[in-house]
Amino acid sequence: MPRTYRSAVREQATASTRAAILDTAEALFAEHGYPRVTIARIAQEAGVAQGTVYASFGNKLALVRGLTERAAEDDRISSALSAIAKASDGGEIAGLAARSTGDVVRRHGRLMAVLVNNAAADTEIGEIFAGTNRLLRERFRLIAARLAAVGALRPGMTTARATDVLMYYLSPESWLRLRGLGWGWPACQDWLRRELLFALCGDLDDVADESPRADSMK
């Protein structure tokens, strides 16, 4: 029993150290730019030795992979997909999709900004970004399939095209672009939900042309 206990304590300490390193790397990448951040700076800010960073992850690219894997395994993503799989109304599905993707971008926005901002200039970052987009597309395909299953898609809208529409409106780039224009999270979510619902379902009753309220822009 004591040996098992000590092993569990070590595993917990290792996990805490890895999490601290990832949190620090994510913050530094977002604040200073991925190319300008060194392993030495990450180690210093995380309060660990450089050797610990290398032993835990390796190089900076491995840290980005670690951050991406952590975001992809967020339990709230699977919870949202489960809720969507049970929904039977197009408006409800569009609302769940917009809210859940917005929540993910808000929680992991710094990582997503790193990927978006460096994908074109760094081939390896670009490969990681392409992988996240493939995963995102597969999840959006599930949402599109649910919309098709409940008969919510507008006439002529295929599941493949609906997946494209979801990628266009709800990808991290769309959220980050609106945020860059000064939109608040509620305004982003409401506008994207309305536009998405009209594009996919043609439901005019729920997509009246309303500008985001001034208080939601902040």
Side-chain angles (χ1 to χ4, degrees), residues 43-155:
Q44 180 182 18
E45 295 290 333
V48 300
Q50 288 189 54
T52 301
V53 178
Y54 285 115
S56 299
F57 293 98
N59 56 20
K60 287 200 305 179
L61 185 65
L63 283 165
V64 175
R65 289 198 185 97
L67 287 166
T68 303
E69 291 169 0
R70 183 171 70 171
E73 294 168 0
D74 192 321
D75 290 339
R76 283 163 287 199
I77 296 175
S78 58
S79 296
L81 289 174
S82 295
I84 288 171
K86 298 174 184 176
S88 58
D89 175 76
E92 181 184 5
I93 294 170
L96 286 168
R99 184 168 66 250
S100 62
T101 54
D103 288 344
V104 170
V105 174
R106 188 186 305 198
R107 288 193 300 272
H108 304 288
R110 294 182 301 183
L111 165 64
M112 293 175 182
V114 169
L115 294 176
V116 170
N117 294 336
N118 293 277
D122 190 303
T123 302
E124 292 177 313
I125 294 290
E127 291 175 355
I128 294 175
F129 187 48
T132 63
N133 275 334
R134 286 192 295 271
L135 179 59
L136 184 61
R137 185 175 184 83
E138 175 56 27
R139 287 169 172 168
F140 283 156
R141 187 193 64 77
L142 296 174
I143 298 172
R146 184 58 185 168
L147 286 166
V150 301
L153 293 178
R154 63 163 72 223

Side-chain angles (χ1 to χ4, degrees), residues 169-191:
Y169 281 106
L170 298 185
S171 63
E173 296 96 315
S174 297
W175 290 91
L176 294 175
R177 189 173 296 114
L178 289 175
R179 289 287 293 160
L181 292 172
W183 289 41
W185 289 106
C188 292
Q189 179 179 312
D190 185 61
W191 185 82

